[in-house]
Amino acid sequence: MEVIKENMNTKEMSLAAEWLKVHGHTDAEVIEFLDFIAQKPVKAERPQEKE
């Protein structure tokens, strides 16, 4: 079973920012990404079972 967290902690956000920078993203893109993540957490939905 895969667990999806709804929020990133500060360390995870820092690591994500570093990864984005290493892969060529600009400071503005990194900030936009972090702002998006902070405002809209991902919600996991259970797949419906086939009957």
Side-chain angles (χ1 to χ4, degrees):
M1 178 174 169
E2 183 179 348
V3 175
I4 299 177
K5 290 196 256 180
E6 290 190 11
N7 296 309
M8 293 177 77
N9 65 34
T10 305
K11 182 178 180 179
E12 291 168 330
M13 290 184 105
S14 177
L15 290 171
E18 287 178 36
W19 186 91
L20 290 165
K21 290 289 288 177
V22 167
H23 286 85
H25 292 274
T26 65
D27 289 341
E29 290 172 330
V30 172
I31 291 169
E32 183 179 354
F33 166 80
L34 295 176
D35 185 50
F36 177 81
I37 293 301
Q39 291 181 22
K40 299 184 179 189
V42 175
K43 301 240 181 196
E45 290 188 23
R46 286 186 139 176
Q48 294 184 1
E49 295 180 15
K50 295 180 182 178
E51 294 182 23

Coordinates of all heavy atoms in Angstrom, one line a residue:
M1 N 0.8 -1.2 0.0 CA 0.0 0.0 0.0 C 0.9 1.2 0.0 O 1.8 1.4 0.8 CB -0.9 0.0 1.2 CG -1.8 1.2 1.4 SD -2.9 0.9 2.8 CE -3.5 2.4 3.0
E2 N 0.7 2.1 -0.9 CA 1.4 3.4 -1.0 C 0.8 4.5 -0.1 O -0.4 4.7 -0.1 CB 1.5 3.8 -2.5 CG 2.3 5.0 -2.7 CD 2.4 5.5 -4.1 OE1 1.9 4.7 -5.0 OE2 2.8 6.6 -4.4
V3 N 1.7 5.1 0.6 CA 1.3 6.2 1.5 C 1.7 7.5 0.9 O 2.8 7.7 0.5 CB 1.9 6.1 2.9 CG1 1.5 7.3 3.8 CG2 1.4 4.8 3.6
I4 N 0.7 8.4 0.7 CA 1.0 9.7 0.2 C 0.8 10.8 1.3 O -0.3 10.8 1.8 CB 0.1 10.1 -1.1 CG1 0.4 9.0 -2.2 CG2 0.4 11.5 -1.5 CD1 -0.5 9.2 -3.4
K5 N 1.9 11.5 1.6 CA 1.7 12.5 2.6 C 1.0 13.7 2.1 O 1.1 14.1 0.9 CB 3.1 13.0 3.1 CG 3.8 11.9 3.9 CD 4.9 12.5 4.7 CE 6.2 12.2 4.0 NZ 7.4 12.8 4.7
E6 N 0.3 14.4 2.9 CA -0.5 15.6 2.5 C 0.4 16.9 2.5 O 0.1 17.8 1.9 CB -1.7 15.8 3.3 CG -2.8 14.7 3.0 CD -4.1 15.0 3.6 OE1 -4.3 16.1 4.1 OE2 -4.9 14.1 3.6
N7 N 1.4 16.9 3.4 CA 2.2 18.1 3.5 C 3.7 17.7 3.5 O 4.1 16.6 3.9 CB 1.9 18.8 4.8 CG 0.5 19.3 4.9 OD1 0.1 20.0 4.0 ND2 -0.2 18.9 6.0
M8 N 4.5 18.6 3.0 CA 6.0 18.5 3.0 C 6.5 19.2 4.2 O 6.0 20.3 4.5 CB 6.6 19.0 1.8 CG 6.3 18.3 0.5 SD 7.0 19.0 -1.0 CE 8.7 18.5 -0.8
N9 N 7.5 18.6 4.9 CA 8.1 19.4 6.0 C 9.2 20.3 5.5 O 9.5 20.3 4.3 CB 8.6 18.5 7.1 CG 9.7 17.5 6.7 OD1 10.5 17.9 5.9 ND2 9.7 16.3 7.2
T10 N 9.8 21.1 6.3 CA 10.8 22.1 5.9 C 12.0 21.4 5.3 O 12.5 21.9 4.2 CB 11.3 22.9 7.1 OG1 10.1 23.5 7.7 CG2 12.2 24.0 6.7
K11 N 12.5 20.3 5.8 CA 13.6 19.6 5.3 C 13.3 19.0 3.9 O 14.1 19.2 3.0 CB 14.0 18.4 6.2 CG 15.3 17.7 5.7 CD 15.7 16.6 6.6 CE 16.9 15.9 6.1 NZ 17.4 14.8 7.0
E12 N 12.1 18.5 3.7 CA 11.7 18.0 2.4 C 11.6 19.1 1.4 O 12.0 18.9 0.2 CB 10.4 17.2 2.5 CG 10.5 15.9 3.3 CD 9.1 15.3 3.6 OE1 8.2 16.1 3.8 OE2 9.1 14.1 3.7
M13 N 11.1 20.2 1.8 CA 11.0 21.4 0.9 C 12.4 21.9 0.5 O 12.6 22.2 -0.7 CB 10.2 22.5 1.5 CG 8.7 22.1 1.6 SD 7.7 23.5 2.1 CE 6.9 24.0 0.6
S14 N 13.3 21.9 1.4 CA 14.7 22.3 1.1 C 15.3 21.4 0.2 O 16.0 21.8 -0.8 CB 15.5 22.4 2.5 OG 16.8 22.7 2.2
L15 N 15.1 20.1 0.4 CA 15.7 19.1 -0.6 C 15.1 19.2 -2.0 O 15.8 19.1 -3.0 CB 15.5 17.7 0.0 CG 16.3 17.3 1.2 CD1 15.9 16.0 1.8 CD2 17.8 17.3 0.9
A16 N 13.8 19.4 -2.0 CA 13.1 19.6 -3.3 C 13.7 20.8 -4.0 O 14.0 20.8 -5.2 CB 11.6 19.7 -3.1
A17 N 13.9 21.9 -3.3 CA 14.4 23.2 -3.9 C 15.9 22.9 -4.4 O 16.2 23.3 -5.5 CB 14.5 24.3 -2.8
E18 N 16.7 22.2 -3.6 CA 18.0 21.9 -4.1 C 18.0 21.0 -5.4 O 18.8 21.3 -6.3 CB 18.8 21.1 -3.0 CG 19.2 22.0 -1.8 CD 19.9 21.2 -0.8 OE1 20.7 20.3 -1.1 OE2 19.7 21.5 0.4
W19 N 17.1 20.0 -5.4 CA 17.0 19.1 -6.6 C 16.6 19.9 -7.8 O 17.2 19.8 -8.9 CB 16.0 18.1 -6.3 CG 15.9 17.0 -7.3 CD1 16.6 15.9 -7.4 CD2 15.1 17.0 -8.5 NE1 16.3 15.2 -8.5 CE2 15.3 15.9 -9.3 CE3 14.2 17.9 -9.0 CZ2 14.7 15.6 -10.5 CZ3 13.5 17.7 -10.2 CH2 13.8 16.5 -10.9
L20 N 15.6 20.8 -7.6 CA 15.2 21.6 -8.8 C 16.3 22.5 -9.3 O 16.5 22.7 -10.5 CB 14.0 22.5 -8.3 CG 12.7 21.7 -8.1 CD1 11.7 22.6 -7.4 CD2 12.1 21.2 -9.4
K21 N 17.1 23.1 -8.4 CA 18.2 24.0 -8.8 C 19.2 23.2 -9.5 O 19.7 23.6 -10.6 CB 18.8 24.7 -7.6 CG 18.0 25.7 -6.9 CD 17.8 27.0 -7.7 CE 19.1 27.7 -7.7 NZ 19.1 28.9 -8.5
V22 N 19.6 22.0 -9.0 CA 20.6 21.1 -9.7 C 20.1 20.8 -11.1 O 20.9 20.6 -12.0 CB 20.9 19.9 -8.8 CG1 21.6 18.8 -9.6 CG2 21.6 20.3 -7.6
H23 N 18.8 20.6 -11.3 CA 18.3 20.2 -12.6 C 17.9 21.4 -13.5 O 17.1 21.3 -14.4 CB 17.1 19.3 -12.4 CG 17.5 17.9 -11.9 ND1 17.7 17.6 -10.6 CD2 17.8 16.8 -12.7 CE1 18.2 16.4 -10.5 NE2 18.2 15.9 -11.8
G24 N 18.5 22.6 -13.2 CA 18.4 23.7 -14.1 C 17.2 24.7 -13.9 O 17.0 25.6 -14.7
H25 N 16.5 24.5 -12.8 CA 15.3 25.5 -12.6 C 15.8 26.8 -12.0 O 16.8 26.8 -11.2 CB 14.3 24.8 -11.7 CG 13.6 23.7 -12.4 ND1 12.5 23.8 -13.2 CD2 13.9 22.3 -12.4 CE1 12.1 22.6 -13.7 NE2 12.9 21.7 -13.2
T26 N 15.2 27.8 -12.4 CA 15.5 29.2 -11.9 C 15.0 29.3 -10.4 O 14.1 28.6 -10.0 CB 14.9 30.3 -12.7 OG1 13.5 30.2 -12.6 CG2 15.3 30.1 -14.2
D27 N 15.5 30.4 -9.8 CA 15.0 30.7 -8.4 C 13.5 30.9 -8.5 O 12.8 30.5 -7.6 CB 15.7 31.9 -7.9 CG 17.2 31.6 -7.5 OD1 17.5 30.5 -7.3 OD2 17.9 32.6 -7.4
A28 N 13.0 31.7 -9.5 CA 11.6 32.0 -9.6 C 10.8 30.7 -9.7 O 9.7 30.6 -9.2 CB 11.4 32.9 -10.8
E29 N 11.3 29.7 -10.5 CA 10.6 28.5 -10.7 C 10.5 27.7 -9.4 O 9.5 27.0 -9.1 CB 11.2 27.6 -11.8 CG 11.0 28.2 -13.2 CD 11.8 27.5 -14.2 OE1 12.9 27.0 -13.9 OE2 11.3 27.5 -15.4
V30 N 11.6 27.7 -8.7 CA 11.7 27.0 -7.4 C 10.7 27.6 -6.4 O 9.9 26.9 -5.7 CB 13.1 27.0 -6.8 CG1 13.1 26.5 -5.4 CG2 14.1 26.2 -7.7
I31 N 10.6 28.9 -6.3 CA 9.7 29.6 -5.4 C 8.3 29.3 -5.8 O 7.4 29.0 -5.0 CB 10.0 31.1 -5.4 CG1 11.3 31.3 -4.7 CG2 8.8 31.8 -4.7 CD1 11.8 32.7 -4.8
E32 N 8.0 29.3 -7.1 CA 6.6 29.0 -7.6 C 6.2 27.5 -7.2 O 5.1 27.3 -6.8 CB 6.6 29.1 -9.1 CG 5.2 28.9 -9.7 CD 5.2 29.1 -11.2 OE1 6.2 29.5 -11.8 OE2 4.1 28.8 -11.8
F33 N 7.2 26.6 -7.4 CA 6.9 25.2 -7.0 C 6.6 25.1 -5.5 O 5.6 24.5 -5.1 CB 8.1 24.3 -7.4 CG 8.1 23.0 -6.7 CD1 7.3 22.0 -7.3 CD2 8.8 22.7 -5.6 CE1 7.3 20.7 -6.7 CE2 8.8 21.4 -5.0 CZ 8.0 20.5 -5.6
L34 N 7.5 25.7 -4.7 CA 7.3 25.6 -3.2 C 6.0 26.3 -2.8 O 5.3 25.8 -1.9 CB 8.5 26.2 -2.5 CG 9.8 25.5 -2.7 CD1 10.9 26.2 -2.0 CD2 9.7 24.0 -2.2
D35 N 5.6 27.4 -3.4 CA 4.4 28.1 -3.1 C 3.2 27.2 -3.5 O 2.2 27.1 -2.7 CB 4.3 29.4 -3.9 CG 3.1 30.2 -3.5 OD1 2.9 30.4 -2.3 OD2 2.4 30.7 -4.4
F36 N 3.3 26.5 -4.6 CA 2.2 25.7 -5.1 C 2.0 24.5 -4.1 O 0.9 24.2 -3.7 CB 2.5 25.1 -6.5 CG 1.4 24.2 -7.0 CD1 0.2 24.6 -7.5 CD2 1.6 22.8 -6.9 CE1 -0.7 23.8 -8.0 CE2 0.7 21.9 -7.4 CZ -0.5 22.4 -7.9
I37 N 3.1 23.9 -3.7 CA 3.0 22.7 -2.8 C 2.5 23.2 -1.4 O 1.7 22.5 -0.8 CB 4.4 22.1 -2.6 CG1 4.9 21.4 -3.9 CG2 4.5 21.1 -1.5 CD1 4.0 20.4 -4.5
A38 N 2.9 24.3 -1.0 CA 2.5 24.8 0.3 C 1.0 25.1 0.4 O 0.3 24.9 1.4 CB 3.3 26.0 0.7
Q39 N 0.4 25.5 -0.7 CA -1.0 25.9 -0.8 C -1.9 24.8 -1.2 O -3.1 24.8 -0.8 CB -1.2 27.1 -1.8 CG -0.6 28.3 -1.3 CD -0.8 29.5 -2.2 OE1 -1.7 29.5 -3.0 NE2 0.1 30.5 -2.2
K40 N -1.4 23.8 -1.9 CA -2.3 22.8 -2.4 C -1.8 21.4 -2.2 O -1.1 20.8 -3.0 CB -2.5 22.9 -3.9 CG -3.2 24.3 -4.3 CD -3.4 24.4 -5.7 CE -4.1 25.7 -6.0 NZ -4.6 25.9 -7.3
P41 N -1.9 20.9 -1.0 CA -1.4 19.5 -0.7 C -2.1 18.5 -1.5 O -3.3 18.6 -1.9 CB -1.8 19.3 0.8 CG -2.8 20.3 1.1 CD -2.7 21.4 0.2
V42 N -1.4 17.4 -1.9 CA -1.9 16.3 -2.7 C -2.7 15.4 -1.8 O -2.3 15.0 -0.7 CB -0.7 15.5 -3.3 CG1 -1.2 14.3 -4.0 CG2 0.1 16.4 -4.2
K43 N -3.9 15.1 -2.2 CA -4.8 14.2 -1.5 C -4.8 12.9 -2.2 O -5.0 12.8 -3.4 CB -6.2 14.8 -1.4 CG -6.2 16.1 -0.7 CD -7.1 16.1 0.5 CE -7.1 17.5 1.1 NZ -7.5 17.5 2.4
A44 N -4.6 11.8 -1.5 CA -4.6 10.5 -2.1 C -6.0 10.0 -2.1 O -6.8 10.2 -1.2 CB -3.7 9.5 -1.2
E45 N -6.3 9.3 -3.2 CA -7.7 8.7 -3.4 C -7.5 7.2 -3.5 O -6.6 6.8 -4.3 CB -8.4 9.3 -4.6 CG -8.8 10.7 -4.4 CD -9.7 11.2 -5.6 OE1 -10.3 10.3 -6.2 OE2 -9.8 12.4 -5.8
R46 N -8.3 6.4 -2.9 CA -8.2 5.0 -3.0 C -8.8 4.6 -4.4 O -9.9 5.0 -4.8 CB -9.0 4.3 -1.9 CG -8.4 4.4 -0.6 CD -9.2 3.5 0.3 NE -8.3 2.8 1.1 CZ -8.7 2.0 2.1 NH1 -10.0 1.8 2.4 NH2 -7.8 1.4 2.8
P47 N -8.1 3.7 -5.1 CA -8.6 3.2 -6.3 C -9.9 2.3 -6.0 O -9.9 1.6 -5.0 CB -7.5 2.3 -6.9 CG -6.5 2.2 -5.9 CD -6.8 3.2 -4.8
Q48 N -10.9 2.4 -6.8 CA -12.1 1.7 -6.6 C -11.8 0.2 -7.1 O -11.2 0.0 -8.1 CB -13.2 2.3 -7.4 CG -13.6 3.6 -6.9 CD -14.9 4.2 -7.6 OE1 -15.4 3.5 -8.5 NE2 -15.2 5.4 -7.3
E49 N -12.3 -0.7 -6.2 CA -12.1 -2.1 -6.6 C -13.1 -2.6 -7.6 O -14.3 -2.2 -7.5 CB -12.2 -2.9 -5.3 CG -11.1 -2.6 -4.3 CD -11.3 -3.5 -3.0 OE1 -12.0 -4.5 -3.1 OE2 -10.6 -3.2 -2.0
K50 N -12.7 -3.4 -8.5 CA -13.6 -4.0 -9.5 C -14.3 -5.1 -8.9 O -13.8 -5.9 -8.2 CB -12.8 -4.4 -10.7 CG -12.1 -3.3 -11.4 CD -11.3 -3.8 -12.6 CE -10.6 -2.7 -13.3 NZ -9.8 -3.1 -14.4
E51 N -15.6 -5.2 -9.2 CA -16.4 -6.3 -8.6 C -16.7 -7.3 -9.7 O -16.7 -7.2 -10.8 CB -17.7 -5.7 -8.1 CG -17.5 -4.8 -7.0 CD -18.8 -4.3 -6.4 OE1 -19.9 -4.9 -6.6 OE2 -18.8 -3.2 -5.8

